[in-house]
């Protein structure tokens, strides 16, 4: 029997709707809310953006999948969290309404688990150590006994948030994404500027690196150290992009390697928006080769937040649910802080 799942994702500045049928992605359109250079995205503005495009995007998802009516969908899935409150709620409200209109089961999905299940589907990585790196999340994850366990994570801001805020500092464009533009500039960097390298056990910290760059480039009050301050003729933005990437990616490779050694896995799966970065994939590849392991990465269609990943994880959850009832409406609330290890993974063995 075939099973068709639709997934709605809107936990940050992208809104995506994907349709998945038994491991096949039928459609996966997405729309990104892009702010002017120097600005981030605020929850209320982002929620309004999602609200204004969600129904058109739904039409597009159905058309591309060649599905004429939502009545032909078996289960409605949405991102329950983690993410920004207002955008999450906008999407959840639409999905709750549609599921009731069409009298279909509804499944709330953990966003991080959406990334993991989509990565496993696309790359066929069976039991990898997962590095999840994005604008809102930074975690090293491995599966054990029905949970995706967090081995290491950021203790302050996410790696993608560090990149986004750095891009704002040097007024880089947010189109198509700040991280992409940093990656392109970094290729032209020649001088490595030493930056704090902050690994604490299995965890990492990025906020101090950002303050340090601020103090180097602007001599900001809190951290002003005249002798350390760089003169503008001593570095270029390209050098800064290059140095920042090399430093923070090394930190991520270090904690991933430690998890890989501990778990005894031979695969690293990189997911999340920052996972598109080819330099990060290269650096991870060097480490993996030394351990006879392989890197599994996906391209921007699946790395970046999208609807299909929510459909895929929801599909797995629904398949494993014997009654096929989905969640009760009371359980379809959103949670801004919804940890990866809070979910009981009953769709995987051992
Ligand atoms: Mg994400």
């Amino acid at each position: 029997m075939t099973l068709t799942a639709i997934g709605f994702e809107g936990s940050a500045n992208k809104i995506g709707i994907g349709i998945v049928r038994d491991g096949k992605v039928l459609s996966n359109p997405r729309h990104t809310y892009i702010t002017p250079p120097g600005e981030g995205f605020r929850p209320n503005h982002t929620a309004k953006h999602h609200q204004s495009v969600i129904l058109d995007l739904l039409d597009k998802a159905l058309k591309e999948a060649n599905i004429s009516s939502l009545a032909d969908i078996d289960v409605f899935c949405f991102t329950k969290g983690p993410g920004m409150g207002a955008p999450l709620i906008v999407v959840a409200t639409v999905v709750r309404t549609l599921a009731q209109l069409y009298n279909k089961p509804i499944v709330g999905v953990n966003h991080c688990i959406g990334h993991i299940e989509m990565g496993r589907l696309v790359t066929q990585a069976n039991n990898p150590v997962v590095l999840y790196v994005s604008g809102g999340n930074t975690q090293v994850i491995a599966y054990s006994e029905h949970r995706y366990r967090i081995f290491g994570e950021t203790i302050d801001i996410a790696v993608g948030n560090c990149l986004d805020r750095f891009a704002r500092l040097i007024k880089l464009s947010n189109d198509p994404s700040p991280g992409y533009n940093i990656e392109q500039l970094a290729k032209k960097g020649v001088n490595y500027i030493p930056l704090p390298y902050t690994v604490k056990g299995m965890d990492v910290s990025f906020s101090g690196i950002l303050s340090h760059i601020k103090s180097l480039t602007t001599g900001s009050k809190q951290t002003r150290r005249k002798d350390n301050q760089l003169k503008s003729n001593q570095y270029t933005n390209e050098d800064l992009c290059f140095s920042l990437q090399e430093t923070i990616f090394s930190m991520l490779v270090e904690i991933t390697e430690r998890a890989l050694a501990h778990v005894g896995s031979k695969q690293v799966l990189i997911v999340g928006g920052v996972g598109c970065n080819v330099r990060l994939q290269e650096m991870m590849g060097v480490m993996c080769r030394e351990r006879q392991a392989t890197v599994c990465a996906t391209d921007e269609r699946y790395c970046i937040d999208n609807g299909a990943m929510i459909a895929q994880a929801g599909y797995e959850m629904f398949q494993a649910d014997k009654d096929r009832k989905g969640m009760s409406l009371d359980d379809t609330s959103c949670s801004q802080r919804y940890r990866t290890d809070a979910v009981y993974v009953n769709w995987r063995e051992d």
Side-chain angles (χ1 to χ4, degrees):
M1 199 189 86
T2 62
L3 189 102
T4 310
I6 189 166
F8 293 72
E9 155 60 31
S11 61
N13 70 331
K14 286 122 201 141
I15 177 158
I17 302 178
I19 300 176
V20 172
R21 181 179 289 154
D22 302 324
K24 215 176 153 235
V25 179
L26 302 184
S27 66
N28 196 20
R30 166 172 66 205
H31 200 273
T32 305
Y33 172 52
I34 294 172
T35 50
E39 277 180 40
F41 47 94
R42 293 172 198 277
N44 53 342
H45 297 162
T46 310
K48 281 207 179 98
H49 165 266
H50 291 2
Q51 203 173 38
S52 66
V53 300
I54 191 166
L55 294 180
D56 287 341
L57 204 63
L58 177 59
D59 277 344
K60 201 171 172 190
L62 289 170
K63 269 199 196 96
E64 280 175 19
N66 237 331
I67 290 175
S68 52
S69 163
L70 279 172
D72 299 334
I73 303 278
D74 298 302
V75 58
F76 284 57
C77 317
F78 72 101
T79 306
K80 186 174 164 66
M84 292 170 117
L88 281 172
I89 288 167
V90 161
V91 176
T93 307
V94 171
V95 177
R96 261 184 238 126
T97 310
L98 292 172
Q100 288 177 92
L101 271 173
Y102 288 87
N103 197 20
K104 298 285 183 180
I106 183 167
V107 171
V109 173
N110 177 291
H111 177 91
C112 317
I113 290 182
H115 276 296
I116 298 171
E117 291 307 336
M118 199 66 206
R120 289 180 64 225
L121 175 70
V122 173
T123 66
Q124 297 290 305
N126 171 42
N127 188 26
V129 166
V130 182
L131 176 67
Y132 173 26
V133 276
S134 69
N137 294 281
T138 304
Q139 297 179 339
V140 176
I141 303 159
Y143 175 81
S144 171
E145 295 178 353
H146 299 289
R147 299 256 173 204
Y148 283 115
R149 318 241 171 213
I150 302 170
F151 279 72
E153 61 191 318
T154 178
I155 55 172
D156 40 56
I157 59 172
V159 61
N161 191 245
C162 177
L163 290 167
D164 292 353
R165 285 157 75 167
F166 165 74
R168 264 178 254 166
L169 204 68
I170 62 167
K171 295 271 174 353
L172 268 188
S173 164
N174 292 322
D175 189 12
S177 73
Y180 178 82
N181 294 326
I182 292 172
E183 184 180 357
Q184 303 318 311
L185 280 191
K187 290 176 186 164
K188 297 178 206 141
V190 280
N191 295 313
Y192 178 78
I193 301 157
L195 296 171
Y197 183 94
T198 342
V199 173
K200 300 176 187 240
M202 286 297 286
D203 294 333
V204 282
S205 156
F206 298 106
S207 64
I209 298 175
L210 202 61
S211 318
H212 185 79
I213 294 180
K214 244 183 236 177
S215 73
L216 283 180
T217 55
T218 64
S220 76
K221 272 192 195 129
Q222 312 104 321
T223 43
R224 191 195 303 260
R225 266 175 286 160
K226 276 255 159 60
D227 45 332
N228 273 351
Q229 198 182 320
L230 287 172
K231 298 216 172 54
S232 56
N233 62 359
Q234 291 176 310
Y235 70 92
T236 61
N237 279 349
E238 285 80 357
D239 291 338
L240 282 179
C241 290
F242 165 70
S243 307
L244 179 61
Q245 278 200 168
E246 295 301 302
T247 306
I248 60 183
F249 292 167
S250 302
M251 290 160 52
L252 294 171
V253 171
E254 179 184 330
I255 61 168
T256 307
E257 177 170 23
R258 217 173 283 136
L260 202 63
H262 178 75
V263 175
S265 168
K266 288 287 173 204
Q267 288 170 322
V268 173
L269 171 64
I270 310 180
V271 299
V274 180
C276 295
N277 190 300
V278 176
R279 180 60 188 145
L280 172 60
Q281 294 175 10
E282 266 173 25
M283 289 168 74
M284 196 63 80
V286 171
M287 179 276 282
C288 282
R289 268 196 301 283
E290 288 172 359
R291 307 191 142 267
Q292 285 80 47
T294 51
V295 184
C296 309
T298 58
D299 62 35
E300 51 87 34
R301 287 172 299 170
Y302 303 117
C303 241
I304 299 173
D305 293 348
N306 63 90
M309 68 185 222
I310 301 304
Q312 174 60 17
Y315 174 98
E316 296 278 11
M317 291 167 78
F318 190 68
Q319 282 276 37
D321 167 12
K322 291 266 175 326
D323 312 329
R324 295 283 170 94
K325 279 198 180 134
M327 288 178 171
S328 83
L329 271 185
D330 290 345
D331 293 333
T332 62
S333 58
C334 295
S335 169
Q336 293 188 70
R337 292 174 185 270
Y338 185 20
R339 281 178 67 80
T340 315
D341 50 11
V343 178
Y344 184 74
V345 180
N346 61 348
W347 59 92
R348 284 188 64 172
E349 286 175 4
D350 64 60

